[in-house]
Amino acid sequence: MTTSAPIRSAVPFAELTTLRLGGPAERLVRADSAEDVVEAVRAADLAGAPVLVLGGGSNLVVADAGVPGTTVEVASSGCSVHALPEGKALLTVAAGEDWDAVVRRALAEGLSGLECLSGIPGRAGAVPVQNVGAYGVEIAEVLVDVDLYDRRAGIVREHVPAAELGLVYRGSVLKGRDDAVVLRVRLALDVSPSSAPIRYAELAGALDLPLGERAPSAQVREAVLALRRGKGMVLDPADHDTWSAGSFFTNPVLLAAEADAVQHRADAREAGPPMPRYPAPDGQVKLSAAWLISRAGFDRGHAGPGGRVALSGRHSLALTNRGAGCTADLLALARQVRDGVRDTFGVELTPEPVLVGCRL
């Protein structure tokens, strides 16, 4: 493999992921520009080597055996703003930019629309792949298009419209595929000091506002960060409760009849708070994975093998490395939680992170 980007060998993924877990990358290439990303991936493809494209490592669970072949770390930088009609602006962001820094930049430029997505770890290139969302906002609402490197065709495809990405709840056609690499994202944001209307009850409560009202974007950002910190969802190297991949399971979306069956099972158990239900597209119902986990008997802080991994003490959806864990420990805990929820409620929880070289 030939590339101008520097190559390191046997770098532990424990140094590259927010879980601080995972074995070595056989070869690690840091790509500091979109051109470097394309060059490194193309060179590995021509050499017939396996390729893993790495961003901030915030949504990744890597096997203890590590990853063979070439891991390309997307570290490209660049962020620019251009005026659009009707009080909008186009924010163009390189895939390697830190996502929370992008949110800060948008607010500094007087742009709103991203404030509810504050504090989410990782890099910008992963945002459309996951259709990242939080506190009532999804990136699908502001995403215009992306630039991609098409590995099969060996070409860069510019301005691929968001409508072609199949954006759904916590996913897209890009998720789980390795034949397209995001190089840039473009977002249409409002030129306004005020946030988008607040849709999430917990956030509205923190702001002391009724649902649907607006607030200064900077104030919304601080409220979101405070809520995330309270759940251990803002990275802190000194706090093992934040050594996670964020929410490990997605909230299940079921047909109404299926949700009613879950409700019946819940009602037949010991008394407790009512089961949360949220409207979803096409008449479906979204349930709270955190509620299901807790009602299945897995309290916050529930420990896995040897206490080396555990559910966060602040958020039952986060599986955390307590400092001496390994990926096998984490997967064992995840299976215990998944199977417990299935046995109790008949609901199969789906992991949100990308699993590399391992499975549940």
Side-chain angles (χ1 to χ4, degrees), residues 221-237:
R221 170 176 166 78
E222 291 307 314
V224 167
L225 289 173
L227 289 171
R228 291 183 64 86
R229 288 191 188 98
K231 299 172 183 177
M233 292 293 190
V234 175
L235 294 176
D236 180 349

Side-chain angles (χ1 to χ4, degrees), residues 138-227:
E138 288 186 342
I139 204 65
E141 298 169 41
V142 296
L143 183 66
V144 176
D145 62 38
V146 299
D147 293 347
L148 300 172
Y149 174 55
D150 184 331
R151 292 175 61 188
R152 291 183 179 175
I155 60 172
V156 173
R157 297 179 60 204
E158 297 184 334
H159 298 286
V160 179
E164 292 186 13
L165 301 181
L167 298 166
V168 295
Y169 171 66
R170 298 302 179 271
S172 70
V173 297
L174 301 173
K175 187 173 182 178
R177 288 173 48 184
D178 60 4
D179 58 348
V181 181
V182 177
L183 302 175
R184 289 178 199 86
V185 301
R186 295 179 186 85
L187 311 167
L189 305 176
D190 290 327
V191 180
S192 172
S194 297
S195 71
I198 304 300
R199 306 176 194 152
Y200 201 81
E202 183 183 26
L203 179 57
L207 292 164
D208 195 24
L209 289 174
L211 285 171
E213 291 294 313
R214 301 173 186 264
S217 295
Q219 182 180 342
V220 173
R221 170 176 166 78
E222 291 307 314
V224 167
L225 289 173
L227 289 171

Side-chain angles (χ1 to χ4, degrees), residues 10-104:
V11 179
F13 271 90
E15 299 177 4
L16 303 170
T17 63
T18 55
L19 269 165
R20 303 195 177 197
L21 296 178
E26 183 179 354
R27 289 187 300 275
L28 176 68
V29 180
R30 178 183 169 94
D32 291 322
S33 69
E35 293 74 21
D36 286 345
V37 173
V38 172
E39 179 186 15
V41 173
R42 180 181 285 143
D45 285 342
L46 290 173
V51 178
L52 172 67
V53 177
L54 172 71
S58 61
N59 204 48
L60 208 60
V61 179
V62 178
D64 293 314
V67 177
T70 300
T71 297
V72 178
E73 180 186 3
V74 179
S76 53
S77 60
C79 191
S80 62
V81 179
H82 300 281
L84 293 175
E86 300 179 358
K88 296 277 189 177
L90 185 70
L91 184 67
T92 301
V93 185
E97 286 281 355
D98 174 80
W99 175 250
D100 194 54
V102 172
V103 177
R104 289 199 308 271

